[in-house]
Amino acid sequence: MSANNNDYDLSSYAGRCASFGSSTNSFLLKHQDKGFIERMVEEQVKLLGGNKELYNRIDTNMKNGVFDHFFIREHCAIFSWRETFFSKHFPDNSWFTVDLDDEDEFEAEDGSEEFTTIPFQITRHFDRVMALASANVHAELTWLKQHTYFENNEQLSDEAECKYKWEELTTDFTEDGDELEKLTHCEEINIGFSEVAHLIVEVHQTGPKKLEEMA
């Protein structure tokens, strides 16, 4: 959930930006389109062959940063869909984030804020992302949707990409490279050796999963 406006240091520029963004988001969330959100969930479920239970499992895993080695490709498919969704509904210059530690405002221009924000938001807070995207407001207030605020988290964004982005997974763990560096990276993102082993098998798997894997 977004922080309460009282949690921001209004004496700093970054704090004032975050407070404004939080207030704007609260307003937009009151005008969310639940039908739109349901349709977006159904689109994701279709990627999984209509398996809603599996979708719920993946959604919960992403919210908690869990690496599920039984459904690696499925997690990656959902992550990729959500990346596309975010880019479509929140193009450049339609959203912002702030670095409350450095008191700098990030505008969606140089790319650094995309890395620290988007993976974090589409895994940990995608319900809210969909709700903000769905908001229907009066024509005179549509400018508010061009100032949508998203919190960032560099560590959790890095973990999300390493666990759910296919290109990152295959590069980080299945290509040749420094083994000690790989082990250190595994520790940083909380992935164990057995999970890496399953990942390597998944990358090279060509047939359908066994029934025991899907149980």
Side-chain angles (χ1 to χ4, degrees), residues 177-190:
D178 186 290
E179 297 304 320
L180 179 58
E181 184 177 326
K182 288 183 180 181
L183 288 173
T184 301
H185 185 54
C186 288
E187 293 179 357
E188 291 174 346
I189 62 174
N190 301 312

Side-chain angles (χ1 to χ4, degrees), residues 80-92 94-95 114 118 122 126 129:
S80 178
W81 186 95
R82 291 180 175 187
E83 279 190 311
T84 301
F85 177 93
F86 192 100
S87 297
K88 176 182 178 181
H89 292 279
F90 301 101
D92 290 347
S94 69
W95 63 276
E114 294 182 3
I118 297 176
I122 65 175
F126 195 62
V129 171

Side-chain angles (χ1 to χ4, degrees), residues 2-184:
S2 296
N4 186 285
N5 287 351
N6 295 328
D7 294 334
Y8 299 116
D9 178 9
L10 299 182
S11 66
S12 71
Y13 178 60
R16 292 194 296 275
C17 288
S19 179
F20 166 78
S22 179
S23 296
T24 299
N25 286 3
S26 294
F27 173 80
L28 292 174
L29 289 172
K30 292 178 181 178
H31 296 81
Q32 61 184 278
D33 183 342
K34 294 184 179 180
F36 173 89
I37 296 171
E38 291 175 359
R39 291 193 297 274
M40 294 306 98
V41 170
E42 285 305 313
E43 283 196 22
Q44 295 173 81
V45 172
K46 288 179 182 178
L47 294 176
L48 307 172
N51 191 332
K52 183 65 177 293
E53 184 176 347
L54 177 56
Y55 172 78
N56 290 336
R57 172 174 174 168
I58 291 173
D59 186 52
T60 299
N61 285 342
M62 287 185 168
K63 286 177 178 175
N64 293 287
V66 174
F67 181 76
D68 187 338
H69 57 257
F70 288 118
F71 296 100
I72 296 172
R73 291 180 185 271
E74 290 79 1
H75 281 72
C76 290
I78 295 298
F79 185 89
S80 178
W81 186 95
R82 291 180 175 187
E83 279 190 311
T84 301
F85 177 93
F86 192 100
S87 297
K88 176 182 178 181
H89 292 279
F90 301 101
D92 290 347
N93 300 317
S94 69
W95 63 276
F96 73 97
T97 188
V98 296
D99 189 333
L100 294 172
D101 293 326
D102 293 338
E103 297 191 354
D104 291 327
E105 180 185 10
F106 286 162
E107 295 188 4
E109 294 178 352
D110 64 11
S112 61
E113 75 294 330
E114 294 182 3
F115 169 75
T116 62
T117 306
I118 297 176
F120 171 61
Q121 289 292 332
I122 65 175
T123 51
R124 303 282 177 151
H125 302 292
F126 195 62
D127 290 343
R128 190 170 63 202
V129 171
M130 289 190 293
L132 289 169
S134 76
N136 288 318
V137 296
H138 192 278
E140 295 179 353
L141 297 174
T142 54
W143 64 272
L144 288 173
K145 296 193 70 173
Q146 300 302 311
H147 298 278
T148 307
Y149 171 61
F150 291 109
E151 297 164 334
N152 64 77
N153 188 306
E154 184 174 1
Q155 174 64 30
L156 294 181
S157 280
D158 183 40
E159 284 190 23
E161 284 210 334
C162 292
K163 291 176 179 178
Y164 310 126
K165 189 166 185 172
W166 185 256
E167 296 83 359
E168 294 294 328
L169 281 167
T170 53
T171 299
D172 289 344
F173 301 115
T174 64
E175 294 185 356
D176 293 336
D178 186 290
E179 297 304 320
L180 179 58
E181 184 177 326
K182 288 183 180 181
L183 288 173
T184 301

